[in-house]
Each structure stands twice: as C-alpha cells, then as structure tokens.
Amino acid sequence: MNLLITGAWQEAKKHIEKIEQMGHAVSFLQFEKNELPCDYDWVEGIICNGLFLHHPIEKFTNLRYIQLTSAGFDRVPMEYVKEHNIEIYNARGVYSIPMAEFAFAGVLQIYKHMNVFADNQKKCLWNKERNLSELFGKTVCIVGCGSVGTECAKRFKAFGCRVVGVDILVRQDDNNYDYMVHLDDIEDVLSNSDVVVLTLPLTEQTFHIIDKDKLDKMKNNSVLVNIARGAVVDTNALVEALENNKLSGAVLDVFEEEPLSEENALWTFDNVIVTPHNSFVGDNNSKRLQSLIFNFLS
C-alpha cells in the first residue's frame, strides 16, 4: 500500500523502515498543513490527525484506508468517507486511561478543596477545611459510554459511586454501569447526578447538548467534567451557571475557543479547573498507538 504518514504520529520516523519491510511504500509529511511530498493520487492509505483540514479529501482519488491518531472523527469529512467506502479507524483505547485518570483526579481536587490547600501552602497557612466531600455514595453520570467513558466508569465505580451511563447505544454493562439510558433521556438523570462527565463525540446532535436548559436541570452543587470537545457545552450558559453558584465546580480540558483567551471568564473561577486540552497525555500512549497502527497495517 502507498502510505502517507504525518507527524501527528510523533514516533513515526522510528518505524518507517519496519513499515517498508512489511511491504508498504511510505511518504512522510511532518506538518499536515504543508505541501505533500507526493502526488495526491499516489496515496492509498493515510495515518494522520487533521490532514483534511488543510488538504481536501477529494484530491486523494485512490484513498482506501485512514488511520487517525486521535479518538475523534470530527476533523474528517465523514459523509465523503462513507460515500466512497473508505475504511477509517480512530485511536480507540489509546488515550482512554489517562483521560479517565484526569477526570477522576479533577473531581477529587474539587471535592477535597486542593486549590485552597495549595494556596495556603504557598502562604504557610495552617488552616483546616471543614467542608470536604466524599466520592463514596455519589451518583456519577457518564455521558458517552465508549472507551473513555467506560474507563471513567471503572474508576468511579471502584470508589463506591453509583454510575449511570448515557449513550446513543444503550447496553447492559453490569461491571461498569448501574444502568444506562439513551441520550434523548439525558435530562432524566442530570437532576440526580452529583458528577456529570462528558466523553461523547462532537456531532450535530451533541453540539451544545449541555446548554442553559440542561445546566438548570443539573443537581445543585454538582460537578461538570468536560474531556470531550468544547462545543458540547454552551460556554456562555456554563459561565452563567457558575456565576449563579449552580455548580460546585467544573473540570474543563476542552473549550469552544482554543487556546482559551485571557479575557474568558472561565479563568476567573476558584472552583473551575482549566487545562489546555491536555487530559489525553500519558506515558503509555506511544506504546498503545504503535500497537494500534501496526495492527492496522498488518
């Protein structure tokens, strides 16, 4: 197969020789926005992330396979892919563990007021906090029960939480979820959930799925975690909910505007954790991605 590999796979250069020994011809493009090092019609398979944001997929007239280095499909024109019977695979499972650990750690930071302790430590203040919360016995709603969501469910379940799943494909998974409901019924579980974790993909259906109406229906003093895509949450509605003390906190790794501007109000809340789309980072990612890609190529 004639294979175009981009620098989105950070360790690609280490493996090109092995890939060629497997019988594939390889052309390497470090930066996806740059000019291709080969003709478009030469390419039969691609390993990339956001290549089609810079190079129209229609130009790849002989394209048959796509392997993404990301979990989301939102940077790919999926209608074209389906219409032309192009096989496409995402990086399912590669980033699920670090993202789940990140979500879990963020909720614990809010429950245990770790920001207050960190600030007091800088000031050498010995002040006790009397209003700390426990995860044990809390209800956690996982919106998006794929690989990332299920890894989140495992961790909250291990700490004695009641875990409810929300997904477009309802299934029984007694090991990880107490029960699951369809995405259309999300409002039925929001009002009883202490923690809401968003791990669902961004689609037309999920754009701003957490809007003012949904935030109003959320349980008072609940925690919202977004490790999905920024646009699944209406930012203005979230800021309003935080200003009105509707939520006890939020853990936000993704945003409608990235990078988040200095003027954005989300920076200003003491009970909001803001991180720069970093939850997917883990020291075992490269091993998992390498295994996934070689399975794709074999």
Side-chain angles (χ1 to χ4, degrees):
M1 176 168 56
N2 294 336
L3 189 63
L4 174 65
I5 303 176
T6 79
W9 181 16
Q10 295 181 3
E11 297 191 348
K13 289 183 177 180
K14 296 180 182 179
H15 304 290
I16 288 178
E17 184 177 352
K18 181 177 179 180
I19 293 170
E20 289 175 335
Q21 290 173 353
M22 296 171 67
H24 303 289
V26 176
S27 184
F28 181 76
L29 175 67
Q30 180 64 59
F31 302 107
E32 294 184 336
K33 64 181 180 180
N34 289 355
E35 182 180 349
L36 261 58
C38 59
D39 293 331
Y40 284 98
D41 59 6
W42 177 86
V43 179
E44 297 172 322
I46 297 176
I47 299 173
C48 68
N49 181 8
L51 182 69
F52 304 117
L53 298 177
H54 311 285
H55 300 272
I57 195 170
E58 293 83 2
K59 290 188 175 183
F60 297 93
T61 54
N62 291 311
L63 184 60
R64 295 185 287 118
Y65 301 96
I66 301 171
Q67 171 65 63
L68 299 175
T69 61
S70 61
F73 292 98
D74 50 297
R75 295 182 173 186
V76 179
M78 290 302 295
E79 287 189 13
Y80 182 92
V81 169
K82 293 176 182 177
E83 288 173 0
H84 291 78
N85 297 315
I86 299 170
E87 293 186 34
I88 186 167
Y89 305 91
N90 68 341
R92 178 179 174 82
V94 172
Y95 312 110
S96 302
I97 289 173
M99 291 178 72
E101 290 180 354
F102 184 94
F104 184 78
V107 175
L108 275 179
Q109 285 185 64
I110 290 176
Y111 269 31
K112 304 304 180 183
H113 296 188
M114 297 307 295
N115 64 322
V116 177
F117 288 119
D119 188 54
N120 287 347
Q121 181 177 343
K122 293 176 184 177
K123 299 174 183 176
C124 302
L125 293 177
W126 188 269
N127 291 341
K128 293 186 181 295
E129 283 285 304
R130 302 293 185 182
N131 297 313
L132 305 184
S133 300
E134 300 177 6
L135 269 174
F136 181 82
K138 298 297 191 296
T139 297
V140 178
C141 174
I142 308 290
V143 186
C145 303
S147 179
V148 176
T150 298
E151 290 296 333
C152 289
K154 290 177 183 177
R155 284 150 182 80
F156 285 105
K157 195 79 168 174
F159 270 62
C161 296
R162 181 171 181 258
V163 180
V164 180
V166 179
D167 201 273
I168 58 172
L169 298 174
V170 177
R171 66 182 189 274
Q172 187 170 340
D173 183 354
D174 295 336
N175 291 328
N176 300 304
Y177 301 93
D178 288 87
Y179 67 94
M180 197 177 294
V181 302
H182 193 273
L183 186 62
D184 292 341
D185 300 317
I186 185 174
E187 293 184 4
D188 295 341
V189 296
L190 287 179
S191 60
N192 296 314
S193 298
D194 301 287
V195 177
V196 177
V197 183
L198 306 175
T199 66
L200 71 173
L202 177 61
T203 64
E204 290 184 6
Q205 182 183 7
T206 64
F207 176 80
H208 280 189
I209 191 168
I210 303 299
D211 54 12
K212 185 181 187 306
D213 185 54
K214 301 290 196 318
L215 287 162
D216 287 344
K217 287 181 170 60
M218 285 178 63
K219 188 175 181 179
N220 289 336
N221 298 317
S222 57
V223 175
L224 178 68
V225 180
N226 189 7
I227 53 173
R229 286 289 188 263
V232 302
V233 177
D234 182 336
T235 302
N236 293 331
L238 176 58
V239 169
E240 181 181 344
L242 290 163
E243 289 175 340
N244 293 332
N245 297 314
K246 170 68 177 181
L247 306 177
S248 65
V251 182
L252 307 174
D253 184 54
V254 289
F255 305 88
E256 293 191 79
E257 168 197 19
E258 293 186 3
L260 196 64
S261 71
E262 294 181 9
E263 293 76 25
N264 195 294
L266 292 172
W267 290 108
T268 65
F269 296 98
D270 292 335
N271 59 342
V272 174
I273 297 173
V274 171
T275 52
H277 206 140
N278 208 81
S279 64
F280 68 94
V281 176
D283 56 351
N284 289 311
N285 284 352
S286 59
K287 295 178 184 178
R288 288 187 288 264
L289 183 58
Q290 176 186 332
S291 176
L292 187 75
I293 288 174
F294 276 103
N295 285 337
F296 160 69
L297 294 176
S298 61

